[in-house]
Amino acid sequence: MELSDKQIAAEKAAERVKDGMILGIGSGSTVNYMLQKLAERIEAEGIQIKGIPSSKKTEKLANELGIPLTTFAENSHIDLAIDGADEIDEHLHLSKGGGGSLVREKMVDSHADYFIVIAGADKLVKRLGAFPLPVEVIPFGWEVTEKKLQKLGCHTALRYQEGKPFVSDNGNYIIDCQFESIEEPESLHKEMKALLGVVETGIFINMVNEVIISENGKIKRL
């Protein structure tokens, strides 16, 4: 069976995991492919690693695949983090959080010595913004938080799942903010973070060390 671009990128990243590493594990379908390849390496090569997962879904899959896990309480240092993205701009800034795990992903990715993003070429954009930007907010008073976000020039929508507000692993809501384009991602992130009620934004600035992209089956590194 022919592999998809995101699966090719994911498997290439799995090759970068070395014996003895503490690995930050992102979330999403591309990361799931990486975990499957990593589980094969652990079984075939006997490498010993421990992972810190960025979501309950990632934790569940890692446990099912037999990948040893740890926590920040046990290991405050992460050697390598591997994660996906919803959008990657020409400066390697990211938009993330389509799966709802942006806070934990940012915690894990920001504490790694080296951060690799894996994706298909369809995630590359000139500017962020075509994909709605997820913003995690506390449930209390989310309506007034949403109005403050709208004043920054976006259309907003509270995220729902099965007819109820989506609840993150942290017990919060997510408001998806649609901009025409995000010209100054760093400034926008700071403006949003300054709003009372906002926990975190899906803008990842100056964090990425390397992007592994697959386009038509060919690997490209940024």
Side-chain angles (χ1 to χ4, degrees), residues 47-122:
I47 62 169
Q48 296 189 2
I49 65 106
K50 288 184 179 180
I52 296 181
S54 62
S55 68
K56 292 179 180 177
K57 285 183 180 177
T58 296
E59 181 180 359
K60 181 174 182 290
L61 179 59
N63 282 328
E64 290 171 357
L65 292 170
I67 295 171
L69 298 179
T70 185
T71 65
F72 276 120
E74 296 171 344
N75 290 279
S76 58
H77 172 262
I78 296 175
D79 297 293
L80 171 68
I82 300 175
D83 205 348
D86 298 315
E87 290 182 326
I88 307 162
D89 77 7
E90 55 190 2
H91 304 291
L92 304 190
H93 301 324
L94 312 177
S95 174
K96 289 177 53 56
S101 304
L102 59 112
V103 174
R104 295 191 185 196
E105 287 171 344
K106 193 172 280 191
M107 280 288 292
V108 168
D109 299 339
S110 67
H111 284 87
D113 287 347
Y114 200 83
F115 174 28
I116 295 175
V117 173
I118 49 178
D122 59 310

Side-chain angles (χ1 to χ4, degrees), residues 3 7 10-11 14 25 28-43 61-62 64-65 67:
L3 301 182
Q7 187 170 355
E11 294 193 355
I25 309 171
S29 57
T30 311
V31 170
N32 292 347
Y33 286 128
M34 187 278 296
L35 284 175
Q36 289 162 5
K37 184 66 175 180
L38 182 58
E40 292 174 12
R41 285 195 61 204
I42 289 171
E43 185 173 353
L61 179 59
E64 290 171 357
L65 292 170
I67 295 171

